[in-house]
Every structure is written in C-alpha cells, then in structure tokens.
C-alpha cells in the first residue's frame, strides 16, 4: 500500500470523526492541497531527526518509526528553510535531484533484504570538489558549473555502496583556497556561520561544516590540505578528522596539492565521525598513497570507543600555539583541566622554530608548485567542452559576465591562480625535491621524537588560536586576534601527513564554538578518536546554533 508523507504542526492537530484536522504552517500549505483523507487508525509518528546520531536514526529506520524518504525530505525542508530562506546560511550549492528517488529505492531494499550497513538510507552532504554522478563538480568555480563527472569519487562510491544518500553538494572556498574570503566562491557566494551570522565558517570546507552544524544532513565530507576540515569543524561546533595521508583516497576529487590533500569527515559527534571514517578508508588503485590503507586502517573506528580512554592517557600540551586570544586560551585550559579530572597526565612540549610555522618552508612552496599540474590532470578527464587548463579557468573568471556578477571571483584568489602558473615551473626543481625528501621527513621526525621521548598518546592544542573571524564583507569590533596566522597549529599535521581530530571544547561570548585538537603519528586514528570520545562524553561541550533551530513541523503518515 502506497504511503504519502505530509507535514503538520503536531501541537495543533485534533481528531474529528474519521479525519485528522490539522493547522498547517505557511510552508506546508502547498502540501495540504494534495493531502489524502486520513483513516481513523492513522498513526502519528513523532520521530524527530534533529541532532540525532547515525545510530539513533538507523534504529528509527529499522523499527519503522521513519523512512529514508522521510529523512531526505526532512533535511531538504531544513535546507529550504535555513539555507535558501531564513538566515540564508548558503552552505549548499547543488541539491541532488534524485535524492528522493534513491531514498525510496533504499527503503524498498530495506524491506526486502534488510540494511546494507549502518549507513543504509542515511542522508549526507559532500563538498563540491568530490565527484558525484549526476551533479557538477565545481570546486566553487563558475568556470566549472557544467562539469559533470562520469563516475563517483572513490570515497563517495564507498559510502554509496554502504547505502548513504548524497542529498547535496556544498559550497567551499574556490578551488579549496580562501585568500582572505573564507567560504566564498564565485558559484556559491559566501557561506555564513550558523552560530553567528557576522562570522565566517572558516575554509575551505565551509559549506559541509555549516550544513552539518545546521542539521541539513547527518554528516558531511570535506577535504583538508592545510586545515580545511579542522578549521570549519572547529568554528561550527563539529568533530572533524584529518586522517593520516594515505588512509583515505583522493581520486575523483579536484586536487589542491596531492603532497598534502586528504579527505575526511565532519559530524556532530565523535562516534558519527568515526563511523564515517571507517567507511571512507581503504586502498584505491588510483591513489598510490592508499596502498597500505587496507592493512593499516581499523575496520570500525567506533567499535572500541570508551569513556575511560583518558584515565591512562599521557598527553603533551603544545604551548607554542597559545596566546593569540584570551577566550580561546581559557576554553582550551578548561578542556585540559577536564581531561585531568578524568585521569589524564599532561606534560608541556614545544616544537622547534622550524616546525612551529610550516607554511613558508613547506606547505606554501609545494602547494603553489603542485596546483596547476595536478588540477590540469583532473581537468583532462572532463568532457571535451569543459576547461582543460588553468589559463582557461582564469579567462572565464575574468570575463565581463563573471566580473559583473553578484559573486565575482575573489580578486586575491584570481591572483593566486596566476601565481600558480608561474610556480608550476618549480615542480620537480632542486628546492622542491629538497622539501619533499628532507624538510618533510625532518618535521615528521620531530613529532615522532616529541611523542616517543615524552611517552605521549597525543599532543593537544587549540585547533585555531583565535575564534571564527568576521565575514570579509563586514566589520565586527567584537573580534580580537593577535595571531599572524590563526591556523599555524594545524600545519604540523598538514606538512607531516599525520592525523589530527578536533572536538568542540566551548563557546565564546560571540557564541562561536572553539575546538581542541588531538595530534598523533601515522595511523594513530584509533587512539586519537578514543581520547576525543572520552573528552567529548566528559564535557558535552557542543551547543546547537541559534540561527538554525528545530523546525516546528514533523511528518504525518497517511494510508488511503
């Protein structure tokens, strides 16, 4: 028997004879015109997906309290209410037109065969530099607005195979580099922070972070080259994981610099992020860096989670990354005190001058040299009518149509693309080879030595040394930051390829979240996730953004 889903305001429904009379909100009036008369035995389902975890939603799906079709519609309703209207968070670039159809197919499959996995029928969002069939992959660039891939990226395919539903592609800093406009692109405009609309959502995975924080999906995917998962997760109250370079594949993802690029999850809880990472990890024949992933990845990072992980932990405090903002320092110190109460032992550690700031000696020169060559290799796989060179993208970006639009390319980003053309000649140079063969291994050795000499399970520090910054287009006198680069701490993991996880630790007076990071050595994700989970459960520091609250509507199942 076919099921039809309509929405109602639950608090104003009454039974009259064999009909349920409801008072509908303005956004529900169109649905009311097609609503089917309801039989007396109709059951009102009260499952509310708001802030629910993968486990809670999967339990509701398995028990019949909800369906994937209903879930997809719920998140699409929230996107309509808060991303395109309301506060206009502007996190989403493209909606998957087939999301409802896919949900129906997965609902039917569940009935006939049972769920494929714990991700069966779970709606997710994906940063718009991942290939997803049926949706353009733009990296936020208007030049690629019609660039439709022929197959899914490796990571997205793994999640789809597990039953996840990609309901939307999310906005990002154009070509994964912000150049002063965090979360801004010529195709998507500016993504706002749902906690404070005067602040940005960091970059470059801004859209995925803002979307998950706003409950537009259960979890989201980002990419992290020099902080692009950790920064956005930090300022939007999420858990974000930058995995070990090589744990997760980058094939089918528009590259920034494959020397540092990683793909990682963002979620509202450590457990959800751990589950997502478990399905993302794996060896991909098209990404040589992942050759050891099947051997070194943990099949299920969520299985061993325990609230007791901090009891026996020994953790280093990286004092180099404090001192730029009083609120961030205070929140981080309270987080450390909370971990001490759980039994963790702490020791102060310090990086050498060479490792305290790794942008100039490592990340900047390698990233600049890699970008044009690696981007054009990706572009070569696109259909014939799409741009094939960085020069073509610049030409489109500088066209009168784009320059005169409401969202022209960030001028600084445009200059960065031009600089990348010049820097491409350095790829493979003596200085390039020296950084790859000497400087990066030296940075790794320093982290390993700190960990070994001090017998550490992790090193902690504020994920960003200052709170979320003001949007580029407004002034915010409440913002204070003494840092020359608030992302400096994150460059350690970026340059070494080591894993880092950020977890919500508190909120500033401006109502923006602050996270604390746990850094480890290669393939230590399980240990870091365990520590992060123990901290999360002890503190419950995550808050819900005021600007994207629970909708006042739910769903009514009708059976004609």
């Amino acid at each position: 028997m076919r099921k039809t889903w309509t929405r109602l305001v639950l608090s104003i429904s009454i039974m009259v004879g064999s009909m349920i009379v409801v008072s509908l909100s303005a956004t529900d009036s169109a649905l009311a015109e097609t609503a089917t008369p309801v039989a007396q035995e109709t059951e009102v389902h009260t499952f509310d997906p708001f802030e629910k975890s993968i486990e809670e939603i999967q339990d509701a799906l398995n028990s019949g309290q909800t369906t994937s079709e209903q879930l997809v519609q719920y998140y699409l309703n929230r996107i309509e209410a808060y991303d395109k209207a309301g506060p206009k968070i502007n996190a989403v670039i493209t909606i998957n037109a087939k999301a409802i159809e896919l949900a129906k197919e997965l609902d039917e499959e569940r009935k006939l065969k049972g769920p494929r996995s714990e991700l069966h029928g779970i709606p997710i969002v994906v940063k718009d530099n991942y290939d997803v069939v049926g949706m353009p992959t733009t990296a936020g660039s208007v030049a690629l607005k019609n660039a439709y891939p022929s197959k899914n990226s490796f990571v997205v395919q793994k999640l789809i195979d597990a039953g996840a539903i990609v309901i939307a592609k999310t906005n990002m800093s154009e070509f994964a580099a912000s150049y002063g406009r965090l979360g801004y692109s010529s195709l998507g405009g500016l993504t706002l922070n749902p906690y404070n609309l005067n602040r940005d959502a960091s970059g470059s995975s801004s859209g995925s972070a803002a979307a998950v924080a706003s409950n537009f999906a259960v979890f989201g995917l980002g990419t992290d080259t020099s902080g692009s998962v950790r920064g956005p997760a930090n300022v939007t109250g999420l858990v974000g994981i930058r995995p070990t370079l090589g744990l997760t594949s980058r094939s089918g993802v528009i590259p920034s610099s494959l020397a540092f690029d990683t793909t990682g999850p963002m979620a509202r809880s450590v457990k959800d992020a751990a589950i997502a990472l478990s399905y993302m990890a794996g060896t991909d024949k098209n990404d040589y860096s992942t050759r050891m992933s099947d051997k070194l990845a943990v099949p299920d990072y969520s299985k061993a989670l325990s609230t007791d992980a901090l009891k026996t932990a020994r953790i280093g405090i990286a004092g180099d990354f404090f001192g730029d903002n009083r609120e961030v320092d205070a929140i981080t110190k309270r987080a450390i005190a909370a971990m001490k109460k759980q039994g963790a032992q702490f020791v102060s550690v310090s990086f050498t001058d060479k490792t305290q700031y790794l942008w100039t000696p490592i990340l900047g020169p390698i990233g600049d040299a890699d970008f044009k060559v690696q981007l054009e290799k990706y572009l070569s796989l696109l259909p014939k009518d799409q741009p094939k060179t960085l020069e073509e993208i610049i030409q489109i970006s500088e066209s009168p149509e784009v320059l005169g639009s409401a969202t022209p390319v960030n001028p600084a980003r445009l200059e960065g693309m031009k600089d990348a053309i010049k820097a491409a000649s350095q790829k493979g140079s003596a200085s390039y080879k020296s950084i790859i063969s000497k400087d990066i291994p030296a940075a790794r050795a320093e982290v390993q030595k700190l960990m070994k000499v001090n017998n550490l399970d992790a090193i902690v520090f504020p994920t960003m040394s200052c709170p979320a910054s003001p949007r580029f287009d407004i002034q915010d006198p409440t913002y204070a930051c003494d840092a020359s680069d608030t992302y400096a701490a994150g460059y350690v993991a970026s340059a070494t390829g080591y894993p880092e996880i950020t977890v919500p630790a508190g909120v500033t007076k401006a109502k923006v979240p602050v996270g604390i990071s746990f850094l480890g050595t290669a393939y230590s994700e399980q240990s870091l996730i365990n520590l992060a989970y123990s901290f999360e459960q002890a503190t419950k520091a995550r808050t819900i953004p005021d600007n994207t609250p629970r909708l006042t509507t739910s769903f009514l199942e009708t059976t004609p």
Side-chain angles (χ1 to χ4, degrees):
M1 187 173 294
R2 185 176 65 87
K3 295 182 179 179
T4 303
W5 295 93
T6 60
R7 294 180 294 162
L8 77 152
V9 180
L10 289 176
S11 60
I12 327 177
S13 64
I14 57 173
M15 181 71 73
V16 179
S18 61
M19 300 286 292
I20 290 183
V21 179
V22 299
S23 174
L24 296 169
S25 66
T27 57
D28 294 309
S29 59
L31 290 173
E33 295 175 4
T34 58
T36 305
V38 184
Q40 195 166 14
E41 66 270 19
T42 295
E43 178 184 358
V44 176
H45 289 265
T46 57
F47 178 74
D48 183 357
F50 187 72
E51 287 287 306
K52 294 296 194 299
S53 67
I54 293 172
E55 183 178 16
E56 290 170 320
I57 292 174
Q58 200 58 239
D59 285 346
L61 288 166
N62 288 330
S63 64
Q65 295 179 62
T66 191
T67 66
S68 293
E69 180 185 356
Q70 180 184 7
L71 285 172
V72 168
Q73 188 61 62
Y74 169 84
Y75 292 116
L76 292 179
N77 290 345
R78 288 190 61 82
I79 291 171
E80 182 64 29
Y82 294 127
D83 204 58
K84 308 308 176 188
K88 293 187 179 180
I89 299 301
N90 206 35
V92 171
I93 283 185
T94 307
I95 297 290
N96 186 352
K98 294 187 176 180
I100 292 288
E101 178 185 337
L102 292 169
K104 289 178 180 179
E105 292 174 359
L106 287 163
D107 283 336
E108 189 63 24
E109 182 180 324
R110 183 186 297 273
K111 292 177 184 177
L112 296 175
K113 300 179 182 179
R116 300 181 193 179
S117 77
E118 59 207 309
L119 296 185
H120 188 111
I122 296 292
I124 67 172
V125 291
V126 173
K127 186 178 181 178
D128 202 17
N129 55 352
Y130 285 80
D131 285 346
V132 180
V133 172
M135 307 171 75
T137 305
T138 73
S141 172
V142 69
L144 296 179
K145 64 182 180 180
N146 294 314
Y148 286 83
S150 59
K151 65 178 183 178
N152 295 316
S153 67
F154 182 82
V155 166
V156 166
Q157 188 61 57
K158 283 176 66 66
L159 292 168
I160 289 174
D161 288 344
I165 304 169
V166 178
I167 63 169
K169 301 287 288 294
T170 54
N171 195 22
M172 56 185 286
S173 302
E174 196 150 344
F175 287 108
S178 298
Y179 285 85
R181 294 189 181 185
L182 293 104
Y184 174 87
S185 71
S186 60
L187 189 63
L190 178 65
T191 295
L192 304 185
N193 191 316
Y195 286 86
N196 183 332
L197 302 179
N198 291 327
R199 301 293 179 92
D200 61 47
S202 188
S204 64
S205 305
S206 322
S208 285
V212 175
S214 300
N215 280 261
F216 296 164
V218 183
F219 66 86
L221 302 189
T223 58
D224 192 312
T225 303
S226 56
S228 293
V229 162
R230 293 159 291 163
N234 170 78
V235 303
T236 60
L238 299 180
V239 176
I241 301 176
R242 177 195 164 92
T244 301
L245 182 65
L247 183 71
T248 59
S249 169
R250 291 86 48 84
S251 68
V253 179
I254 295 179
S256 180
S257 170
L258 292 174
F260 313 118
D261 290 350
T262 58
T263 53
M266 290 179 281
R268 292 183 293 271
S269 70
V270 172
K271 186 172 184 179
D272 280 3
I275 291 171
L277 182 65
S278 302
Y279 286 94
M280 294 174 71
T283 297
D284 173 13
K285 65 180 182 180
N286 294 317
D287 185 347
Y288 182 73
S289 75
T290 65
R291 63 194 180 278
M292 298 300 292
S293 184
D294 283 348
K295 293 182 179 179
L296 298 176
V298 174
D300 183 355
Y301 287 101
S302 70
K303 189 175 182 179
L305 294 179
S306 169
T307 56
D308 294 334
L310 285 168
K311 286 185 177 180
T312 58
R314 184 173 170 83
I315 301 172
I317 303 173
D320 307 306
F321 305 116
F322 289 72
D324 295 331
N325 179 274
R326 290 182 180 180
E327 286 187 282
V328 170
D329 286 354
I331 289 170
T332 308
K333 288 174 182 177
R334 287 197 295 271
I336 291 169
M339 287 189 270
K340 287 180 179 179
K341 286 185 178 180
Q342 296 300 306
Q345 295 182 352
F346 284 86
V347 57
S348 295
V349 297
S350 183
F351 293 98
T352 66
D353 291 341
K354 289 185 178 181
T355 310
Q356 284 179 21
Y357 191 69
L358 291 169
W359 181 266
T360 303
I362 293 179
L363 295 171
I366 296 297
D368 289 344
D370 282 349
F371 182 64
K372 174 179 164 62
V373 175
Q374 294 175 354
L375 172 64
E376 291 179 352
K377 184 176 181 180
Y378 171 89
L379 295 176
S380 70
L381 302 175
L382 294 177
K384 293 181 180 180
D385 61 343
Q386 295 303 305
K388 292 294 185 288
T389 67
L390 182 55
E391 286 85 352
E392 288 180 76
I393 287 172
I394 292 172
Q395 184 178 8
I396 295 170
S397 300
E398 291 185 321
S399 66
E401 178 186 3
V402 174
L403 290 177
S405 69
T407 55
V409 179
N410 174 7
R413 183 67 189 97
L414 196 54
E415 289 304 309
M417 287 190 270
K418 293 177 180 178
D419 290 341
I421 293 175
K422 301 174 186 176
S425 63
Q426 293 301 305
K427 188 170 175 64
S429 66
S431 60
Y432 182 99
K433 291 178 180 178
S434 179
I435 294 171
I436 295 293
S437 64
K438 296 180 181 179
D439 297 346
I440 291 177
R444 289 173 180 159
E446 182 173 330
V447 176
Q448 289 175 344
K449 183 177 179 180
L450 275 178
M451 298 283 288
K452 185 176 181 180
V453 169
N454 293 286
N455 191 28
L456 301 178
D457 297 294
I459 298 173
V460 299
F461 42 82
T463 304
M464 289 168 50
S465 62
C466 294
S469 54
R471 300 160 38 172
F472 78 91
D473 57 346
I474 65 169
Q475 296 292 321
D476 186 345
T478 67
Y479 180 70
C481 181
D482 293 330
S484 58
D485 190 338
T486 185
Y487 295 89
Y491 298 156
V492 177
S494 297
T496 60
Y498 288 161
E500 179 184 328
I501 179 170
T502 178
V503 188
V507 179
T508 69
K509 291 180 180 178
K511 296 186 177 181
V512 288
V514 169
I516 189 170
S517 277
F518 296 80
L519 170 73
T521 53
Y523 298 100
S524 64
E525 279 83 359
Q526 184 69 77
S527 176
L528 298 182
I529 290 169
N530 290 350
L531 293 173
Y533 178 77
S534 184
F535 169 74
E536 172 194 60
Q537 295 302 304
T539 59
K540 303 288 186 180
R542 182 174 183 273
T543 60
I544 299 171
D546 290 341
N547 293 296
T548 53
R550 177 184 274 106
L551 289 174
T552 58
T553 57
S554 187
F555 293 90
L556 171 67
E557 181 182 15
T558 65
T559 309

